Every structure is written in structure tokens, then in C-alpha cells.
Amino acid sequence: MTVWWQLLITSLLSGIAQLCQKQAALSEHRRNFYLWMLIALGLLALAMLCWLQVLRTLPVGIAYPLLSLNYLWVAILSRLLWDEPILQQQYLGIFLIIVGTLLLGGAY
């Protein structure tokens, strides 16, 4: 697996973990809260393992800014899951993140 796929997987796992935390916060029952938090912690642990693999190959100065793709995943998935709005400023920010990611990724 290439380092770029590992970085993408790291970003996705981390973003999904954030969504699980949001779901935990919305939980009305303690059991559901703990379940969502355990899922979030598991995903964050997997993301950390993937991240360590990324750092073996990429300089941290390039790899770390690329994790900003989390904002993209969280915005899109929160829109799909909870119908949260994406404002024009957010669209612009997401566009700039994508452009920045492409520029940083092309620098390596």
C-alpha cells in the first residue's frame, strides 16, 4: 500500500472517529454513549497506527498538513448523517484545503 493511501486511510479513520464522538454526545442513553466512545477510541487507535506508517516515509512537515483532509470528511459526512448545513465559507475552506493538499502532495 502506498503512503498516499495510508495517509488517506488515516484521515478517514480520524474523521469518522470525530463523527462517532458527535454521535456519543447526542446519545440519550449511557450505554449508547459508551458504545460510540469505544468505537471512536478504536478508530483513533487504528488511525494512529496508520499514521506511524505514514511517518516512516513522509517528512512530518508534509504529512501533518495533509491530515487537514479530516475537515473535508467531517463536513461531508455530518451533512449526510445529521443534515448539518455546509455554509459558503466552509465550501471555500474545503476547496482551499483540497488545493493545499494537492500542492503539498506534489511537493514530495
Side-chain angles (χ1 to χ4, degrees), residues 33-86:
F33 171 82
Y34 288 121
L35 175 64
W36 284 110
M37 286 304 295
L38 280 173
I39 293 170
L41 289 171
L43 291 171
L44 286 171
L46 287 173
M48 183 185 65
L49 293 175
C50 289
W51 178 242
L52 292 174
Q53 290 300 314
V54 168
L55 291 178
R56 289 177 179 237
T57 305
L58 287 179
V60 72
I62 290 180
Y64 189 72
L66 295 177
L67 282 181
S68 62
L69 286 173
N70 290 1
Y71 297 109
L72 170 69
W73 312 131
V74 170
I76 291 170
L77 292 173
S78 64
R79 172 76 175 154
L80 294 173
L81 294 172
W82 299 292
D83 202 30
E84 292 184 356
I86 301 177

Short mmCIF file of all heavy atoms in Angstrom, two decimals, residues 33-86:
data_model
loop_
_atom_site.label_atom_id
_atom_site.label_comp_id
_atom_site.label_asym_id
_atom_site.label_seq_id
_atom_site.Cartn_x
_atom_site.Cartn_y
_atom_site.Cartn_z
N PHE A 33 -23.82 6.00 24.69
CA PHE A 33 -22.69 6.92 24.82
C PHE A 33 -21.38 6.13 24.87
O PHE A 33 -20.43 6.41 24.13
CB PHE A 33 -22.85 7.79 26.07
CG PHE A 33 -21.63 8.59 26.39
CD1 PHE A 33 -21.39 9.78 25.74
CD2 PHE A 33 -20.72 8.14 27.34
CE1 PHE A 33 -20.25 10.53 26.03
CE2 PHE A 33 -19.58 8.88 27.63
CZ PHE A 33 -19.35 10.07 26.98
N TYR A 34 -21.32 5.15 25.75
CA TYR A 34 -20.09 4.37 25.90
C TYR A 34 -19.77 3.56 24.64
O TYR A 34 -18.61 3.42 24.27
CB TYR A 34 -20.17 3.45 27.12
CG TYR A 34 -20.09 4.20 28.41
CD1 TYR A 34 -21.10 4.14 29.35
CD2 TYR A 34 -18.98 5.01 28.70
CE1 TYR A 34 -21.03 4.85 30.54
CE2 TYR A 34 -18.89 5.72 29.89
CZ TYR A 34 -19.92 5.63 30.79
OH TYR A 34 -19.84 6.34 31.97
N LEU A 35 -20.79 3.04 24.00
CA LEU A 35 -20.57 2.29 22.76
C LEU A 35 -19.94 3.17 21.70
O LEU A 35 -18.93 2.80 21.08
CB LEU A 35 -21.89 1.71 22.26
CG LEU A 35 -21.82 0.99 20.90
CD1 LEU A 35 -20.93 -0.24 21.00
CD2 LEU A 35 -23.20 0.63 20.42
N TRP A 36 -20.50 4.37 21.47
CA TRP A 36 -19.95 5.27 20.46
C TRP A 36 -18.55 5.75 20.84
O TRP A 36 -17.69 5.93 19.97
CB TRP A 36 -20.89 6.45 20.22
CG TRP A 36 -22.07 6.07 19.39
CD1 TRP A 36 -23.36 5.97 19.79
CD2 TRP A 36 -22.05 5.71 18.00
NE1 TRP A 36 -24.16 5.57 18.74
CE2 TRP A 36 -23.37 5.40 17.63
CE3 TRP A 36 -21.05 5.61 17.04
CZ2 TRP A 36 -23.73 5.01 16.34
CZ3 TRP A 36 -21.39 5.21 15.75
CH2 TRP A 36 -22.71 4.93 15.42
N MET A 37 -18.31 5.96 22.12
CA MET A 37 -16.97 6.39 22.55
C MET A 37 -15.95 5.27 22.35
O MET A 37 -14.81 5.53 21.96
CB MET A 37 -16.99 6.85 24.01
CG MET A 37 -17.64 8.21 24.19
SD MET A 37 -16.90 9.53 23.19
CE MET A 37 -15.28 9.63 23.91
N LEU A 38 -16.35 4.03 22.61
CA LEU A 38 -15.44 2.91 22.38
C LEU A 38 -15.11 2.76 20.89
O LEU A 38 -13.96 2.50 20.52
CB LEU A 38 -16.05 1.60 22.91
CG LEU A 38 -15.92 1.38 24.40
CD1 LEU A 38 -16.71 0.14 24.82
CD2 LEU A 38 -14.47 1.25 24.80
N ILE A 39 -16.11 2.93 20.05
CA ILE A 39 -15.87 2.87 18.60
C ILE A 39 -14.92 4.00 18.20
O ILE A 39 -13.97 3.78 17.43
CB ILE A 39 -17.20 2.95 17.82
CG1 ILE A 39 -18.05 1.71 18.07
CG2 ILE A 39 -16.94 3.14 16.33
CD1 ILE A 39 -19.47 1.80 17.56
N ALA A 40 -15.15 5.20 18.72
CA ALA A 40 -14.29 6.33 18.40
C ALA A 40 -12.85 6.07 18.83
O ALA A 40 -11.91 6.31 18.07
CB ALA A 40 -14.82 7.61 19.07
N LEU A 41 -12.67 5.55 20.04
CA LEU A 41 -11.32 5.25 20.53
C LEU A 41 -10.64 4.18 19.69
O LEU A 41 -9.44 4.27 19.41
CB LEU A 41 -11.37 4.84 22.00
CG LEU A 41 -11.68 5.96 22.98
CD1 LEU A 41 -11.91 5.40 24.38
CD2 LEU A 41 -10.58 6.99 22.99
N GLY A 42 -11.39 3.17 19.29
CA GLY A 42 -10.82 2.13 18.43
C GLY A 42 -10.37 2.68 17.09
O GLY A 42 -9.29 2.35 16.59
N LEU A 43 -11.21 3.54 16.51
CA LEU A 43 -10.85 4.14 15.22
C LEU A 43 -9.64 5.06 15.35
O LEU A 43 -8.77 5.09 14.48
CB LEU A 43 -12.04 4.91 14.65
CG LEU A 43 -13.21 4.06 14.18
CD1 LEU A 43 -14.40 4.94 13.84
CD2 LEU A 43 -12.81 3.19 13.00
N LEU A 44 -9.58 5.80 16.46
CA LEU A 44 -8.42 6.67 16.68
C LEU A 44 -7.15 5.85 16.88
O LEU A 44 -6.07 6.25 16.42
CB LEU A 44 -8.67 7.58 17.88
CG LEU A 44 -9.65 8.72 17.64
CD1 LEU A 44 -10.00 9.43 18.95
CD2 LEU A 44 -9.10 9.71 16.63
N ALA A 45 -7.26 4.70 17.52
CA ALA A 45 -6.09 3.83 17.68
C ALA A 45 -5.62 3.30 16.33
O ALA A 45 -4.41 3.29 16.04
CB ALA A 45 -6.42 2.67 18.63
N LEU A 46 -6.56 2.89 15.50
CA LEU A 46 -6.20 2.43 14.15
C LEU A 46 -5.58 3.57 13.33
O LEU A 46 -4.60 3.36 12.60
CB LEU A 46 -7.42 1.87 13.42
CG LEU A 46 -7.94 0.52 13.89
CD1 LEU A 46 -9.25 0.18 13.18
CD2 LEU A 46 -6.91 -0.56 13.62
N ALA A 47 -6.14 4.76 13.47
CA ALA A 47 -5.60 5.91 12.75
C ALA A 47 -4.18 6.19 13.20
O ALA A 47 -3.31 6.51 12.37
CB ALA A 47 -6.49 7.14 12.99
N MET A 48 -3.91 6.04 14.50
CA MET A 48 -2.56 6.28 14.99
C MET A 48 -1.58 5.26 14.41
O MET A 48 -0.46 5.62 14.02
CB MET A 48 -2.52 6.21 16.51
CG MET A 48 -1.14 6.53 17.07
SD MET A 48 -1.03 6.31 18.86
CE MET A 48 -1.28 4.56 19.01
N LEU A 49 -1.98 4.02 14.32
CA LEU A 49 -1.10 3.00 13.73
C LEU A 49 -0.81 3.31 12.26
O LEU A 49 0.33 3.18 11.81
CB LEU A 49 -1.72 1.61 13.90
CG LEU A 49 -1.81 1.10 15.33
CD1 LEU A 49 -2.56 -0.22 15.37
CD2 LEU A 49 -0.42 0.95 15.94
N CYS A 50 -1.83 3.71 11.53
CA CYS A 50 -1.63 4.09 10.13
C CYS A 50 -0.72 5.32 10.04
O CYS A 50 0.16 5.39 9.18
CB CYS A 50 -2.95 4.39 9.45
SG CYS A 50 -3.98 2.96 9.14
N TRP A 51 -0.93 6.26 10.94
CA TRP A 51 -0.14 7.49 10.96
C TRP A 51 1.34 7.19 11.18
O TRP A 51 2.22 7.78 10.55
CB TRP A 51 -0.68 8.41 12.05
CG TRP A 51 0.06 9.70 12.23
CD1 TRP A 51 0.71 10.10 13.33
CD2 TRP A 51 0.21 10.74 11.26
NE1 TRP A 51 1.26 11.33 13.13
CE2 TRP A 51 0.97 11.75 11.87
CE3 TRP A 51 -0.21 10.92 9.96
CZ2 TRP A 51 1.31 12.93 11.21
CZ3 TRP A 51 0.12 12.09 9.30
CH2 TRP A 51 0.88 13.07 9.92
N LEU A 52 1.62 6.24 12.07
CA LEU A 52 3.02 5.87 12.30
C LEU A 52 3.66 5.31 11.03
O LEU A 52 4.84 5.56 10.76
CB LEU A 52 3.11 4.86 13.45
CG LEU A 52 2.74 5.42 14.83
CD1 LEU A 52 2.72 4.31 15.86
CD2 LEU A 52 3.68 6.53 15.24
N GLN A 53 2.88 4.58 10.26
CA GLN A 53 3.40 4.06 8.98
C GLN A 53 3.66 5.19 8.00
O GLN A 53 4.65 5.17 7.26
CB GLN A 53 2.43 3.04 8.38
CG GLN A 53 2.36 1.74 9.15
CD GLN A 53 3.71 1.05 9.21
OE1 GLN A 53 4.42 0.93 8.22
NE2 GLN A 53 4.06 0.60 10.40
N VAL A 54 2.79 6.17 7.99
CA VAL A 54 2.97 7.33 7.10
C VAL A 54 4.26 8.07 7.46
O VAL A 54 5.04 8.44 6.59
CB VAL A 54 1.75 8.29 7.19
CG1 VAL A 54 2.04 9.62 6.52
CG2 VAL A 54 0.52 7.64 6.59
N LEU A 55 4.48 8.24 8.76
CA LEU A 55 5.66 8.99 9.21
C LEU A 55 6.97 8.27 8.91
O LEU A 55 8.03 8.90 8.91
CB LEU A 55 5.56 9.30 10.70
CG LEU A 55 4.48 10.31 11.07
CD1 LEU A 55 4.45 10.50 12.58
CD2 LEU A 55 4.69 11.63 10.36
N ARG A 56 6.91 6.99 8.65
CA ARG A 56 8.13 6.26 8.25
C ARG A 56 8.61 6.69 6.87
O ARG A 56 9.77 6.56 6.55
CB ARG A 56 7.88 4.75 8.24
CG ARG A 56 7.73 4.16 9.60
CD ARG A 56 7.41 2.68 9.49
NE ARG A 56 7.30 2.11 10.80
CZ ARG A 56 8.02 1.07 11.21
NH1 ARG A 56 8.87 0.51 10.42
NH2 ARG A 56 7.84 0.62 12.42
N THR A 57 7.68 7.19 6.05
CA THR A 57 8.00 7.51 4.67
C THR A 57 8.04 9.01 4.40
O THR A 57 8.97 9.50 3.77
CB THR A 57 6.97 6.86 3.72
OG1 THR A 57 6.92 5.47 3.99
CG2 THR A 57 7.35 7.07 2.27
N LEU A 58 7.02 9.71 4.85
CA LEU A 58 6.91 11.14 4.54
C LEU A 58 7.51 12.00 5.64
O LEU A 58 7.40 11.66 6.82
CB LEU A 58 5.44 11.53 4.39
CG LEU A 58 4.69 11.09 3.15
CD1 LEU A 58 3.24 11.57 3.21
CD2 LEU A 58 5.36 11.60 1.90
N PRO A 59 8.09 13.12 5.26
CA PRO A 59 8.51 14.09 6.28
C PRO A 59 7.27 14.62 7.00
O PRO A 59 6.22 14.83 6.38
CB PRO A 59 9.17 15.21 5.48
CG PRO A 59 9.45 14.64 4.13
CD PRO A 59 8.46 13.54 3.91
N VAL A 60 7.38 14.83 8.29
CA VAL A 60 6.23 15.28 9.08
C VAL A 60 5.73 16.64 8.60
O VAL A 60 4.54 16.93 8.68
CB VAL A 60 6.55 15.28 10.59
CG1 VAL A 60 7.48 16.40 10.97
CG2 VAL A 60 5.28 15.32 11.41
N GLY A 61 6.61 17.46 8.05
CA GLY A 61 6.22 18.77 7.53
C GLY A 61 5.29 18.68 6.34
O GLY A 61 4.55 19.62 6.05
N ILE A 62 5.32 17.57 5.63
CA ILE A 62 4.39 17.35 4.51
C ILE A 62 3.19 16.53 4.98
O ILE A 62 2.05 16.84 4.65
CB ILE A 62 5.10 16.65 3.34
CG1 ILE A 62 6.09 17.63 2.71
CG2 ILE A 62 4.11 16.14 2.31
CD1 ILE A 62 6.87 17.07 1.54
N ALA A 63 3.43 15.51 5.77
CA ALA A 63 2.36 14.60 6.19
C ALA A 63 1.33 15.29 7.07
O ALA A 63 0.12 15.13 6.86
CB ALA A 63 2.94 13.39 6.90
N TYR A 64 1.77 16.06 8.04
CA TYR A 64 0.83 16.62 9.01
C TYR A 64 -0.18 17.56 8.38
O TYR A 64 -1.39 17.43 8.66
CB TYR A 64 1.58 17.29 10.16
CG TYR A 64 0.66 17.68 11.28
CD1 TYR A 64 0.10 16.72 12.11
CD2 TYR A 64 0.31 19.01 11.47
CE1 TYR A 64 -0.77 17.07 13.12
CE2 TYR A 64 -0.55 19.37 12.49
CZ TYR A 64 -1.08 18.39 13.31
OH TYR A 64 -1.95 18.74 14.31
N PRO A 65 0.23 18.49 7.54
CA PRO A 65 -0.79 19.36 6.92
C PRO A 65 -1.81 18.60 6.08
O PRO A 65 -2.95 19.02 5.93
CB PRO A 65 0.02 20.33 6.06
CG PRO A 65 1.38 20.32 6.66
CD PRO A 65 1.58 18.95 7.20
N LEU A 66 -1.41 17.45 5.54
CA LEU A 66 -2.34 16.67 4.72
C LEU A 66 -3.46 16.06 5.54
O LEU A 66 -4.50 15.66 5.00
CB LEU A 66 -1.58 15.60 3.94
CG LEU A 66 -0.60 16.13 2.90
CD1 LEU A 66 0.15 14.98 2.23
CD2 LEU A 66 -1.28 16.98 1.86
N LEU A 67 -3.28 15.98 6.86
CA LEU A 67 -4.37 15.48 7.71
C LEU A 67 -5.54 16.46 7.76
O LEU A 67 -6.60 16.14 8.28
CB LEU A 67 -3.86 15.22 9.13
CG LEU A 67 -3.07 13.94 9.32
CD1 LEU A 67 -2.65 13.80 10.78
CD2 LEU A 67 -3.86 12.72 8.89
N SER A 68 -5.35 17.65 7.22
CA SER A 68 -6.45 18.62 7.19
C SER A 68 -7.61 18.13 6.32
O SER A 68 -8.69 18.70 6.34
CB SER A 68 -5.96 19.98 6.69
OG SER A 68 -5.48 19.88 5.38
N LEU A 69 -7.38 17.05 5.59
CA LEU A 69 -8.49 16.43 4.85
C LEU A 69 -9.61 15.98 5.79
O LEU A 69 -10.74 15.78 5.36
CB LEU A 69 -8.00 15.24 4.02
CG LEU A 69 -7.20 15.58 2.77
CD1 LEU A 69 -6.64 14.31 2.15
CD2 LEU A 69 -8.06 16.32 1.77
N ASN A 70 -9.28 15.84 7.08
CA ASN A 70 -10.32 15.49 8.06
C ASN A 70 -11.49 16.45 7.98
O ASN A 70 -12.64 16.05 8.11
CB ASN A 70 -9.75 15.55 9.49
CG ASN A 70 -8.79 14.44 9.78
OD1 ASN A 70 -8.49 13.62 8.92
ND2 ASN A 70 -8.27 14.43 10.98
N TYR A 71 -11.19 17.74 7.79
CA TYR A 71 -12.25 18.73 7.71
C TYR A 71 -13.21 18.43 6.57
O TYR A 71 -14.41 18.63 6.69
CB TYR A 71 -11.66 20.14 7.55
CG TYR A 71 -10.83 20.58 8.71
CD1 TYR A 71 -9.46 20.70 8.61
CD2 TYR A 71 -11.43 20.88 9.94
CE1 TYR A 71 -8.69 21.11 9.69
CE2 TYR A 71 -10.68 21.29 11.02
CZ TYR A 71 -9.30 21.39 10.88
OH TYR A 71 -8.56 21.79 11.95
N LEU A 72 -12.66 17.97 5.47
CA LEU A 72 -13.49 17.61 4.31
C LEU A 72 -14.42 16.46 4.66
O LEU A 72 -15.63 16.54 4.45
CB LEU A 72 -12.58 17.23 3.14
CG LEU A 72 -13.24 16.60 1.93
CD1 LEU A 72 -14.10 17.62 1.22
CD2 LEU A 72 -12.19 16.03 1.00
N TRP A 73 -13.86 15.39 5.22
CA TRP A 73 -14.67 14.20 5.54
C TRP A 73 -15.74 14.53 6.57
O TRP A 73 -16.89 14.12 6.43
CB TRP A 73 -13.81 13.05 6.06
CG TRP A 73 -12.60 12.74 5.26
CD1 TRP A 73 -11.33 12.57 5.75
CD2 TRP A 73 -12.50 12.56 3.85
NE1 TRP A 73 -10.48 12.31 4.71
CE2 TRP A 73 -11.16 12.30 3.54
CE3 TRP A 73 -13.41 12.61 2.80
CZ2 TRP A 73 -10.70 12.08 2.24
CZ3 TRP A 73 -12.96 12.41 1.50
CH2 TRP A 73 -11.64 12.14 1.24
N VAL A 74 -15.36 15.27 7.60
CA VAL A 74 -16.32 15.58 8.66
C VAL A 74 -17.45 16.46 8.13
O VAL A 74 -18.62 16.22 8.44
CB VAL A 74 -15.60 16.24 9.87
CG1 VAL A 74 -16.60 16.78 10.87
CG2 VAL A 74 -14.68 15.22 10.54
N ALA A 75 -17.13 17.44 7.32
CA ALA A 75 -18.17 18.32 6.77
C ALA A 75 -19.14 17.54 5.89
O ALA A 75 -20.37 17.66 6.03
CB ALA A 75 -17.54 19.46 5.98
N ILE A 76 -18.60 16.72 5.01
CA ILE A 76 -19.46 15.96 4.09
C ILE A 76 -20.32 14.94 4.86
O ILE A 76 -21.53 14.85 4.65
CB ILE A 76 -18.62 15.25 3.02
CG1 ILE A 76 -18.02 16.29 2.06
CG2 ILE A 76 -19.44 14.23 2.25
CD1 ILE A 76 -16.99 15.73 1.11
N LEU A 77 -19.69 14.19 5.74
CA LEU A 77 -20.43 13.14 6.44
C LEU A 77 -21.42 13.70 7.46
O LEU A 77 -22.49 13.13 7.65
CB LEU A 77 -19.46 12.16 7.10
CG LEU A 77 -18.66 11.30 6.10
CD1 LEU A 77 -17.60 10.49 6.80
CD2 LEU A 77 -19.60 10.39 5.31
N SER A 78 -21.08 14.82 8.10
CA SER A 78 -22.05 15.41 9.04
C SER A 78 -23.27 15.95 8.28
O SER A 78 -24.38 15.96 8.80
CB SER A 78 -21.41 16.49 9.89
OG SER A 78 -21.00 17.57 9.10
N ARG A 79 -23.04 16.38 7.06
CA ARG A 79 -24.17 16.81 6.22
C ARG A 79 -25.07 15.62 5.90
O ARG A 79 -26.29 15.70 5.98
CB ARG A 79 -23.63 17.43 4.92
CG ARG A 79 -24.67 17.74 3.89
CD ARG A 79 -25.44 18.97 4.26
NE ARG A 79 -26.35 19.29 3.16
CZ ARG A 79 -27.45 19.94 3.33
NH1 ARG A 79 -27.78 20.39 4.52
NH2 ARG A 79 -28.23 20.20 2.33
N LEU A 80 -24.44 14.49 5.56
CA LEU A 80 -25.21 13.30 5.20
C LEU A 80 -25.89 12.66 6.41
O LEU A 80 -27.04 12.21 6.32
CB LEU A 80 -24.30 12.27 4.52
CG LEU A 80 -23.72 12.66 3.17
CD1 LEU A 80 -22.71 11.63 2.70
CD2 LEU A 80 -24.83 12.83 2.14
N LEU A 81 -25.21 12.62 7.55
CA LEU A 81 -25.73 11.92 8.71
C LEU A 81 -26.75 12.73 9.52
O LEU A 81 -27.75 12.19 9.98
CB LEU A 81 -24.59 11.49 9.63
CG LEU A 81 -23.63 10.46 9.06
CD1 LEU A 81 -22.44 10.27 9.98
CD2 LEU A 81 -24.35 9.13 8.84
N TRP A 82 -26.45 14.02 9.73
CA TRP A 82 -27.30 14.83 10.61
C TRP A 82 -27.89 16.02 9.89
O TRP A 82 -28.46 16.89 10.53
CB TRP A 82 -26.50 15.30 11.82
CG TRP A 82 -25.98 14.15 12.65
CD1 TRP A 82 -26.71 13.29 13.37
CD2 TRP A 82 -24.62 13.76 12.78
NE1 TRP A 82 -25.89 12.37 13.98
CE2 TRP A 82 -24.60 12.63 13.62
CE3 TRP A 82 -23.41 14.24 12.29
CZ2 TRP A 82 -23.42 11.99 13.97
CZ3 TRP A 82 -22.24 13.60 12.64
CH2 TRP A 82 -22.26 12.48 13.47
N ASP A 83 -27.73 16.08 8.59
CA ASP A 83 -28.26 17.18 7.79
C ASP A 83 -27.75 18.55 8.28
O ASP A 83 -28.47 19.53 8.24
CB ASP A 83 -29.79 17.14 7.78
CG ASP A 83 -30.38 17.88 6.58
OD1 ASP A 83 -29.72 17.90 5.53
OD2 ASP A 83 -31.49 18.43 6.71
N GLU A 84 -26.50 18.56 8.73
CA GLU A 84 -25.90 19.82 9.15
C GLU A 84 -25.56 20.65 7.91
O GLU A 84 -25.06 20.10 6.92
CB GLU A 84 -24.64 19.58 9.98
CG GLU A 84 -24.94 18.96 11.33
CD GLU A 84 -23.70 18.79 12.19
OE1 GLU A 84 -22.58 19.10 11.72
OE2 GLU A 84 -23.85 18.35 13.34
N PRO A 85 -25.80 21.94 7.96
CA PRO A 85 -25.54 22.76 6.77
C PRO A 85 -24.05 22.94 6.52
O PRO A 85 -23.24 22.90 7.45
CB PRO A 85 -26.19 24.10 7.13
CG PRO A 85 -26.18 24.14 8.62
CD PRO A 85 -26.34 22.72 9.08
N ILE A 86 -23.71 23.10 5.26
CA ILE A 86 -22.35 23.49 4.87
C ILE A 86 -22.47 24.89 4.28
O ILE A 86 -23.11 25.08 3.25
CB ILE A 86 -21.75 22.51 3.84
CG1 ILE A 86 -21.69 21.09 4.42
CG2 ILE A 86 -20.35 22.97 3.43
CD1 ILE A 86 -21.18 20.04 3.45
#
